[in-house]
Amino acid sequence: LEKFQNDSKERVLLLNVMDESASGANLTSANHAIFISPLLAPTQEIYDACETQAIGRLRRYGQLKHVKIWRFLSLDTIDVEIYQQRTGKKVV
């Protein structure tokens, strides 16, 4: 994390947002968050908290870039159903 944050050559950092080791990470050098699947959380409260915290790692004091959030879902999979249940949004 420290190497990524301090102007390293690395352009991609993979974090499991449900893992404790990612908690509190300051990622203001990043300007894109990509969710490759919906979070598998036992409750809606935990789902919302984990997603908010993940996005908040990029949108912190000191962030100078516009932050973009991307979500990748494969149609006709369980991921779409989970995402729709958790967010209340329809996937087209």
Side-chain angles (χ1 to χ4, degrees), residues 11-78:
R11 305 303 308 157
V12 175
L13 177 67
L14 299 176
L15 286 176
N16 178 354
V17 296
M18 299 297 285
D19 190 85
E20 292 178 13
S21 64
S23 181
N26 184 351
L27 300 174
T28 55
S29 66
N31 60 330
H32 293 270
I34 301 171
F35 292 94
I36 58 173
S37 64
L39 300 175
L40 298 176
T43 67
Q44 185 68 39
E45 184 178 77
I46 294 173
Y47 179 92
D48 293 340
C50 288
E51 186 173 277
T52 300
Q53 185 182 58
I55 295 168
R57 290 184 189 118
L58 280 71
R59 293 181 176 161
R60 291 192 177 208
Y61 180 76
Q63 174 60 277
L64 302 175
K65 305 172 199 168
H66 182 73
V67 173
K68 294 187 179 189
I69 308 302
W70 302 86
R71 296 178 196 283
F72 290 107
L73 296 170
S74 296
L75 293 178
D76 301 321
T77 66
I78 191 72

